[in-house]
Amino acid sequence: MAKTKINLVWLKRDLRLEDHAPLAAAAEAGLPTLIFYTFEPSQLQEAHQDARHARFIVQSLTDLAQQLEQHAIQLLVFWSEIQPLLQQLREDFTLVTLFSHQETGLAASFARDQQLALWCRQQGVDWQELAQHPVQRGPQGRQQWRRQAKAFWGAPQASVNWASWSPLRLGPEHQAWSLKCQRLPRAWLTPVADQQMGGSQRAQAHLRHFLNEELPFYRQHIGSSNQERRSTSRLSAYLAYGNLSVRQVIQQLTAQAPSRPQSRFYTRLAWQGHFMQKFESDWRIEQEALNPAVGALWQARQAELDPSEQDRRWQAWSTGQTGFPLVDAGMRALIQTGFVSFRLRALLVSFACHHLELDWRAVALHLARLFLDFEPGIHYPQIQMQVGLTGFNTLRIYNPVEQPRHKEAQAAFIQRWVPELSPLPWPLLHQPWQLTPLEKQFYPKLDYPEPIIDSQASGRAARERLWSWQRSAPVQVWVPRLLATQVEAPSRLRASR
């Protein structure tokens, strides 16, 4: 008896039904189709992963399953590596096409995809990877990026014709049923009060609220620590896991009346695609400095440092106990909520790598685990720029004390996340070590560490060290060839109706 021919839609970082090219293509193909997500043990064990990411995915899948039920369509969630799962499905069906979105991921997922592509060719399965970002694979993606990106964002959204959908229902009689998720870790199922919850319906509601209520304040409050609801869109996690597509956001944004906040937000969205293209075009930056000569200088400097002192500094920075209130507030907020503003992210990286001289790879991994909105294609290009690993970007060495903008708002942020300092008047919240002996008598229970370093001395040393590296001949030799392969910046992209 001939096996039933079927198609598959493999969900990854695209947990939505709208503007979903694989779902649209599967509906058009007409064969019985199974929609599935699989928790792959090898990917879950990858060093960048944290329970907060899995929790957001579970929330997104729950929301997605409820929406699919309205179309009488089953969403199956497996616990299996992708290749054994497909092999089990082949026991009962003839696999014709595997639809998925193209992924700009980490080295671990790239290696997985390479192995799967080989298996699909050997088994005669047509794996169609469709774009959800304006990212082109290979060196050709570096050229004419602006033009390609704007055309992609302006194209019609992929619409699924559910009336023509041919559902496939999998049951216990099928081989792959044994790989179905039976139980998930409890931590993945319990919401955390301060962490954003996943789901495309929540994402759509949040987008509408932002565009209608918060967008006018976007430009005014950007960079403020304590105005997070208005200084950022808080859409980044929804975009990272595909609860929304960037095209959906851009098209809803540009449907509004033109304004300066609209233009500023559009540019930020364009930078997202720009950085993802940079990472796709040079994925080695997950492990290596973009400029090899800078990487060699970093390694040589790391070898000179006292390991025990570096361990002490790491423990203080990673737990928010450095003695610098804004740095510690940022780290504690990130640990609890999974989110801080872009300016605070830059401060955390600069303080760790420039002032404390911690290994940038360890810093990148720690922050990746904490960022609820971790997106590899954005994370690593940003780390490379902030740390100064390119040899040509402007070096930004943040002063952990003198952050001049929004001092009062930052004081409120510090009071919330470093509550042991809350009794202090706000000018002293930024520099509690300036308390005089007499003033200390008024705060006998003040329990906060002394600064782990002299930030003026460490900042001065960092500037001298990093600028000398950047001007050195070995580093500058690499700059022309690196610039020649850079993706076009989106600086001239503008929102248009």
Side-chain angles (χ1 to χ4, degrees):
M1 182 177 178
K3 296 179 182 178
T4 301
K5 293 182 178 180
I6 67 168
N7 289 334
L8 304 171
V9 175
W10 177 21
L11 301 175
K12 294 191 281 183
R13 296 174 75 97
D14 52 357
L15 303 179
R16 63 182 183 275
L17 299 186
E18 301 81 10
D19 193 25
H20 201 291
L23 288 172
E28 186 177 345
L31 287 178
T33 302
L34 177 68
I35 305 173
F36 74 94
Y37 184 93
T38 184
F39 287 104
E40 303 165 87
S42 62
Q43 302 299 312
L44 292 171
Q45 295 167 9
E46 211 278 331
H48 296 77
Q49 302 305 311
D50 185 78
R52 65 189 62 197
H53 304 139
R55 186 184 303 115
F56 194 92
I57 291 170
V58 170
Q59 293 162 355
S60 301
L61 291 171
T62 301
D63 177 73
L64 198 58
Q66 293 170 354
Q67 294 180 64
L68 285 171
E69 284 177 4
Q70 298 175 15
H71 300 286
I73 296 173
Q74 181 185 41
L75 170 64
L76 276 180
V77 178
F78 295 98
W79 189 281
S80 171
E81 304 296 344
I82 182 64
Q83 192 170 313
L85 171 59
L86 297 184
Q87 187 63 50
Q88 287 289 78
L89 287 168
R90 285 187 75 251
E91 296 295 322
D92 292 302
F93 306 101
T94 297
L95 308 186
V96 178
T97 305
L98 172 65
F99 294 102
S100 74
H101 270 123
Q102 179 179 305
E103 185 176 1
T104 300
L106 296 161
S109 64
F110 180 54
R112 181 270 319 275
D113 287 352
Q114 287 181 309
Q115 295 171 1
L116 180 60
L118 176 61
W119 183 89
C120 286
R121 287 194 298 271
Q122 292 173 340
Q123 304 301 323
V125 177
D126 179 20
W127 183 15
Q128 294 190 22
E129 293 183 274
L130 305 174
Q132 70 169 334
H133 299 288
V135 174
Q136 300 294 319
R137 286 185 168 169
Q140 71 275 8
R142 297 165 174 155
Q143 306 302 321
Q144 303 299 318
W145 181 85
R146 285 195 300 265
R147 179 179 56 80
Q148 295 171 358
K150 200 156 189 176
F152 182 88
W153 291 324
Q157 296 182 27
S159 180
V160 184
N161 182 5
W162 295 110
S164 66
W165 187 271
S166 178
L168 172 70
R169 297 198 70 83
L170 203 70
E173 70 277 11
H174 296 109
Q175 297 293 323
W177 189 260
S178 63
L179 301 178
K180 186 175 175 286
C181 260
Q182 302 298 326
R183 182 186 305 172
L184 291 171
R186 182 175 299 178
W188 297 9
L189 303 174
T190 307
V192 175
D194 292 323
Q195 289 182 12
Q196 208 167 7
M197 292 184 67
S200 64
Q201 294 182 94
R202 291 188 185 94
Q204 288 284 2
H206 190 95
L207 174 60
R208 289 192 297 270
H209 175 78
F210 171 71
L211 294 178
N212 295 331
E213 305 293 336
E214 306 291 357
L215 181 61
F217 304 98
Y218 181 77
R219 184 173 179 272
Q220 176 184 351
H221 292 297
I222 196 167
S224 166
S225 302
N226 203 44
Q227 291 282 348
E228 288 180 355
R229 292 293 178 188
R230 290 187 168 184
S231 66
T232 70
S233 70
R234 293 304 305 270
L235 293 172
S236 54
Y238 296 133
L239 291 169
Y241 292 96
N243 291 165
L244 293 169
S245 73
V246 178
R247 178 159 50 198
Q248 284 178 288
V249 178
I250 283 181
Q251 292 186 5
Q252 291 190 44
L253 174 69
T254 54
Q256 296 200 334
S259 66
R260 296 186 72 180
Q262 179 209 41
S263 180
R264 176 67 65 88
F265 185 54
Y266 181 91
T267 301
R268 289 297 178 104
L269 290 168
W271 276 107
Q272 186 219 38
H274 169 77
F275 281 117
M276 292 184 73
Q277 181 64 69
K278 288 168 70 75
F279 188 57
E280 182 67 46
S281 299
D282 201 344
W283 50 267
R284 66 186 176 86
I285 62 175
E286 179 187 337
Q287 300 288 345
E288 305 171 16
L290 178 68
N291 189 310
V294 178
L297 291 166
W298 264 93
Q299 289 181 350
R301 176 59 181 165
Q302 288 289 304
E304 297 172 354
L305 301 175
D306 178 7
S308 62
E309 172 62 15
Q310 292 306 99
D311 287 345
R312 184 179 79 90
R313 293 182 176 191
W314 173 267
Q315 182 64 24
W317 174 80
S318 64
T319 58
Q321 295 288 342
T322 67
F324 290 90
L326 188 57
V327 173
D328 292 341
M331 181 58 76
R332 295 183 194 185
L334 183 57
I335 290 170
Q336 179 63 27
T337 71
F339 180 87
V340 289
S341 66
F342 174 81
R343 184 174 292 275
L344 278 173
R345 296 181 191 213
L347 173 62
L348 289 174
V349 173
S350 177
F351 188 77
C353 295
H354 299 153
H355 290 272
L356 301 183
E357 296 191 72
L358 299 177
D359 187 331
W360 69 269
R361 296 175 186 84
V363 168
L365 274 174
H366 184 68
L367 293 176
R369 287 191 287 266
L370 294 180
F371 290 157
L372 182 61
D373 56 8
F374 171 60
E375 172 63 71
I378 298 173
H379 187 71
Y380 276 100
Q382 283 287 336
I383 288 287
Q384 294 271 331
M385 289 174 58
Q386 292 290 348
V387 178
L389 301 173
T390 69
F392 53 81
N393 287 111
T394 301
L395 294 170
R396 291 181 172 85
I397 302 170
Y398 287 75
N399 187 319
V401 179
E402 295 300 327
Q403 289 290 302
R405 299 179 65 189
H406 308 288
K407 277 282 189 179
E408 293 185 60
Q410 288 177 354
F413 182 75
I414 291 169
Q415 285 178 320
R416 178 183 179 187
W417 294 107
V418 190
E420 58 266 41
L421 295 179
S422 59
L424 298 180
W426 79 261
L428 285 171
L429 279 171
H430 296 272
Q431 302 179 68
W433 55 87
Q434 290 191 346
L435 283 165
T436 66
L438 179 60
E439 288 171 326
K440 288 181 180 179
Q441 294 180 25
F442 291 98
Y443 308 103
K445 296 183 179 180
L446 191 66
D447 183 19
Y448 187 67
E450 291 294 317
I452 193 170
I453 54 165
D454 179 339
S455 63
Q456 290 187 343
S458 63
R460 183 168 55 250
R463 285 189 292 273
E464 293 173 358
R465 180 176 66 254
L466 296 178
W467 279 113
S468 68
W469 288 359
Q470 185 143 314
R471 290 191 293 263
S472 68
V475 169
Q476 287 302 307
V477 163
W478 278 94
V479 170
R481 71 184 78 176
L482 292 172
L483 288 174
T485 61
Q486 287 298 291
V487 183
E488 295 178 300
S491 56
R492 292 198 295 272
L493 279 175
R494 293 291 182 269
S496 59
R497 298 187 72 178

